[in-house]
Structure formats: C-alpha cells, structure tokens
Amino acid sequence: MSLVDLGLPPLNALVVFEAAARLANFSRAGAELGLTQSAVSRQMLKLEGFIGAKLFQRTPAGVTLTPVGEAYVAEIRRILGDLAAVTHGARGSAGPRQVTLACSHGIADLWLMPRLQALDAALPGIELRLRVTDDVARLRLDEFDLAIFYRRERPTGVALHVLGTEEIVPVTAPGRPALADDPAPTLLAIEDSLREWLDWTHWFGAVAMPQPPAARVWRLGSYALSVQAASQGLGTALGWTWLLRDRLAAGTLVPAHDFHLRSEGSFYLMRPLDRHVRRVVRQTMDWLVASNAG
C-alpha cells in the first residue's frame, strides 16, 4: 500500500513545507533545500490542493502561515522529529559492535564514566553510543539497546536487572562539620522538575529534623555539580549511595548524618523485550551487571 493509498502527502512536500514555514520565504527555503523558488511554490500549491486549504498567505516580504498552516506545521515538525529519531535509533543499533546505552546525566557522570575504560578493555572493538537524558518518561524503547535509570515504579516492556536501591544520606567533604552540628549549613541541591528522586524536603521530613533557619540552598545545574561542590567542601549534598559508593568507600565523601532515607525506587538496567538481542548487547549487559557487583 502506497502513501497515497493511505491518504498521506509525499514526504518531500512535507520537508519543503517545514522549511518554507520556518524561513517564511520560498526563495530561502529553496536555497536551503537546493530547489528553485518556483519548485518550492509548485510543491506548496500541490500540498495545499491535497489538503484542501491554504497554508500560506503571500506577502511582499515573503509568506506567512495561515491558522491552518500554523496548526499543520506544528504537527508536521513533531512527526518529522519522531521519524528522524526512529531512523537514527534503527541505524544506531544496526552495527555489529555498536551498542546504544541510554541513561540519566547523573548516572552517566558518576557511575558510568568511571567504568568506561574497563568496559572498553573488556569488550574490544565495541562502539558505544550514549543517549543521555533525564526525561526518561519520553524515552522510547526503539531509542536504545540498554538503559540505566532510576524509577519509582517498576518499568514495563523491558527485561530488568536491579542495580541498586534508592538510599540517600547527606554527604560532605572530610573534616566538615556534621549536619546536626552546623547552625548555618549550605545545602546543595539541583533544579530539575523531571526527576523522580527524593530531595532535602523529603529527607528532613523523614528524619523529623527541622531545617536550620540559617541554612542556605545552592541549586546547581546537575547532580554531578552538586556532588563536586560537596567534595570541595562547599556544602552538604544528598548522596545517593548507589551512585556514590566508590567515593564513600574511598573517603573523598563522608556521611554528614547517620540517617539513611530509603524509598521504593530502584536503579534499573533495562533491555527492550521486543527486539532481538545481539551478542554485543548481551555481553555489555552481562559486563555492566558484573561491574556493579564488583
């Protein structure tokens, strides 16, 4: 069945339409796409005929979108973006030694990066592609071979291995005062509404300890920056013990309180169930599990 049979316009016309709408000028759209102005105009006339509505208003300076055109281009951009992502994901997972691994920024910075050299040595010739995002709710299964994320609820549609549970304790640099002994602590936090992780409000509420009135809060751009600031003695961060266990074991970070808050969430290693598992993906998954246990 062809696209016409499905009632769909030609894909090239949609690409031309997006460029013309973005640039508000047929000549500039043609220059970007390697077409003449008249070719762009013909494509748009055909597309308007196909839809049965005007998409553009012609002006002396160029073109402007009609209300129908504005609504249509918003959906076309979303669909073209999804098509590009699906194609990129299919191409990215097709290589015999390529593995696409998705994870959050915190996991990439604090858990995965220190292990990459050992991974490269254990699996010679592996081609690793990292898909780093904190918006796991919008991550599609076709965008990765493996993924490592913290989730409050157990994910579906994937094979799972629990790498660690969420347990947090305030951490700071060695020699810094304990949280209970500091009347004016600097509390290091992050500003990210997409995260499902617990924060200072949860911790103080669970320990039944009032936040010191003189405390100040630094909201940094990422969890890795918060941890780095704590390591430099700039304040106290909430330490997720699974992510920071190497630093806690080495003593570069130390607990600033003895209360550990644990939630029902876990850090999961995930693999889509609806895809053939290539040998290099299985090897990578097995290595990540073994590395976590070591």
Side-chain angles (χ1 to χ4, degrees):
M1 183 177 291
S2 69
L3 295 181
V4 174
D5 294 331
L6 292 173
L8 298 176
L11 178 59
N12 60 336
L14 298 180
V15 173
V16 174
F17 168 59
E18 190 283 327
R22 172 166 41 83
L23 298 171
N25 187 284
F26 284 1
S27 294
R28 288 199 294 269
E32 181 178 286
L33 299 173
L35 301 173
T36 64
Q37 185 273 341
S38 59
V40 172
S41 183
R42 286 195 300 271
Q43 288 271 21
M44 294 305 93
L45 286 173
K46 289 181 181 178
L47 185 59
E48 288 176 333
F50 186 93
I51 293 172
K54 285 286 186 181
L55 299 174
F56 293 100
Q57 293 287 354
R58 276 67 173 177
T59 69
V63 292
T64 60
L65 289 166
T66 64
V68 172
E70 289 181 353
Y72 193 51
V73 77
E75 290 301 313
I76 291 303
R77 283 172 178 155
R78 179 185 61 81
I79 292 168
L80 290 176
D82 288 345
L83 179 60
V86 170
T87 303
H88 190 57
R91 292 177 65 189
S93 62
R97 297 294 294 171
Q98 187 171 77
V99 177
T100 300
L101 175 61
C103 63
S104 68
H105 285 85
I107 291 171
D109 293 336
L110 300 171
W111 191 85
L112 186 60
M113 284 301 297
R115 289 169 166 77
L116 286 187
Q117 187 173 13
L119 173 63
D120 185 44
L123 300 176
I126 187 174
E127 296 180 12
L128 183 64
R129 174 174 172 256
L130 285 184
R131 172 79 164 84
V132 183
T133 177
D134 291 328
D135 195 0
V136 62
R138 297 190 181 184
L139 186 69
R140 301 189 312 273
L141 295 180
D142 60 11
E143 293 185 86
F144 62 87
D145 297 307
L146 299 171
I148 304 174
F149 284 98
Y150 167 80
R151 301 307 308 269
R152 283 276 180 89
E153 297 181 358
R154 190 176 181 88
T156 59
V158 291
L160 296 172
H161 183 90
V162 177
L163 295 175
T165 56
E166 183 191 36
E167 185 174 297
I168 60 176
V169 62
V171 295
T172 190
R176 295 280 299 174
L179 191 59
D181 299 330
D182 191 347
T186 298
L187 305 178
L188 304 170
I190 54 177
E191 194 79 53
D192 192 339
S193 60
L194 294 175
R195 293 192 189 279
E196 299 176 314
W197 292 359
L198 301 176
D199 58 21
W200 279 109
T201 302
H202 297 106
W203 188 87
F204 277 113
V207 76
M209 172 183 172
Q211 181 171 316
R216 58 177 181 166
V217 178
W218 281 17
R219 298 195 179 277
L220 305 180
S222 70
Y223 185 59
L225 290 176
S226 178
V227 170
Q228 184 177 350
S231 300
Q232 294 175 359
L234 295 175
T236 302
L238 281 176
W240 283 267
T241 55
W242 179 76
L243 284 178
L244 303 183
R245 65 181 184 182
D246 294 339
R247 291 165 175 80
L248 290 168
T252 56
L253 285 172
V254 297
H257 198 280
D258 59 4
F259 178 72
H260 289 62
L261 173 59
R262 181 172 177 178
S263 80
E264 297 178 355
S266 297
F267 292 90
Y268 292 100
L269 174 60
M270 299 176 280
R271 175 181 58 77
L273 287 173
D274 60 351
R275 190 180 311 163
H276 169 70
V277 185
R278 292 177 293 121
R279 181 182 179 188
V280 68
V281 173
R282 172 63 66 186
Q283 289 174 329
T284 304
M285 187 171 186
D286 291 344
W287 187 91
L288 290 170
V289 170
S291 172
N292 182 65

